[in-house]
């Protein structure tokens, strides 16, 4: 398969596939003319990476997960540890977003939203 074909089959942009190649996540063969040649193993890796990135795993987590996926002697505890760490990061982000929402909600409630210039939202944004 060429890059366009594998991109369509994996559901990834060709630019992303080139980036994954650049950082060593996939290593397609090269023809004499320089064109990349992908086989089904590359397609499986790219689909795996698309799924992992879709769940928000970092590139380094993806690299580790890919290595574990390819290692048939892996311990599932290693995979779980990576996923558990990522889940904690997601929980932290959710908590931060909930706090941000509460603060903004309070500011919206405190703002009269009328014709007067006084606005607690702007005061907060300016550091007041």
């Amino acid at each position: 398969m060429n890059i366009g074909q594998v991109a369509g089959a994996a559901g990834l942009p060709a630019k992303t596939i080139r980036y994954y190649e650049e950082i060593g996540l996939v290593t397609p063969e090269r023809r004499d003319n320089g064109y990349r040649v992908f086989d089904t193993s590359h397609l499986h890796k790219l689909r795996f990476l698309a799924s992992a990135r879709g769940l928000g795993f970092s590139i380094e987590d993806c690299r580790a997960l890919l290595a574990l996926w390819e290692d048939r002697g892996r311990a599932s505890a290693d995979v779980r540890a990576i996923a558990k760490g990522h889940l904690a990061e997601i929980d932290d982000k959710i908590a931060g977003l909930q706090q941000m929402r509460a603060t903004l909600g309070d500011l919206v409630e405190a703002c009269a939203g009328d014709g007067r210039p006084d606005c607690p939202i702007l005061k907060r944004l300016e550091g007041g």
Side-chain angles (χ1 to χ4, degrees):
M1 287 177 275
N2 65 31
I3 196 165
Q5 292 166 322
V6 79
L12 291 169
K15 184 176 182 177
T16 299
I17 296 171
R18 287 187 201 98
Y19 173 68
Y20 288 166
E21 180 185 11
E22 182 182 315
I23 63 173
L25 290 175
V26 292
T27 52
E29 302 280 327
R30 290 279 187 159
R31 292 190 179 146
D32 291 338
N33 61 7
Y35 289 136
R36 295 167 182 85
V37 179
F38 295 89
D39 60 29
T40 55
S41 70
H42 297 115
L43 176 58
H44 291 301
K45 282 183 184 182
L46 291 167
R47 285 180 176 161
F48 180 93
L49 290 166
S51 294
R53 293 294 287 160
L55 288 172
F57 283 102
S58 70
I59 291 294
E60 287 312 309
D61 282 347
C62 286
R63 188 181 306 280
L65 288 168
L66 190 58
L68 288 166
W69 178 62
E70 292 175 324
D71 178 6
R72 298 294 177 212
R74 69 184 169 261
S76 64
D78 296 335
V79 179
R80 187 176 192 271
I82 294 169
K84 194 173 178 181
H86 182 53
L87 189 58
E89 291 172 8
I90 291 171
D91 287 340
D92 289 345
K93 287 179 184 177
I94 289 171
L97 286 170
Q98 287 173 333
Q99 184 177 17
M100 187 187 311
R101 190 197 186 293
T103 300
L104 187 56
D106 290 345
L107 290 170
V108 167
E109 285 298 314
C111 181
D114 55 18
R116 292 178 294 151
D118 184 46
C119 179
I121 299 169
L122 294 176
K123 283 184 183 178
R124 171 66 189 265
L125 293 175
E126 74 179 357

